[in-house]
Amino acid sequence: MPTPAYPPADDRLRHLLAQRINCHVDTWKLAFFIAGAVVDDPAIRAELNRIAAAHTAGQPCGDRNCRACFDAATARTAT
């Protein structure tokens, strides 16, 4: 039986966020709790889905922190 990937596929975003948050809080449990609240927030989920849909369609997502869109925009203006 193959070993399942860790973290489970449905919990990767929560784990990634918790790893970043953990640098700024006292305990992993608190970091994981905060990350869970972020991941479960409907407004954040909607924004992630909007960004993914824009990228899937080949459109810029409009997020000023998106490296892919920034690189594409600067490449177009440089030519």
Side-chain angles (χ1 to χ4, degrees):
M1 174 183 265
T3 305
Y6 185 82
D10 62 342
D11 230 12
R12 283 197 182 132
L13 180 58
R14 186 179 316 240
H15 275 83
L16 287 171
L17 289 169
Q19 287 172 356
R20 293 297 245 168
I21 294 166
N22 195 39
C23 298
H24 306 285
V25 298
D26 294 332
T27 67
W28 170 254
K29 188 174 180 179
L30 176 59
F32 200 69
F33 173 77
I34 294 168
V38 169
V39 169
D40 294 339
D41 186 294
I44 292 172
R45 280 297 199 189
E47 181 62 7
L48 288 171
N49 290 337
R50 185 196 66 76
I51 290 169
H55 285 181
T56 300
Q59 301 295 318
C61 67
D63 186 323
R64 69 186 185 105
N65 296 307
C66 178
R67 176 54 97 181
C69 292
F70 179 79
D71 288 346
T74 55
R76 274 181 273 159
T77 59
T79 56

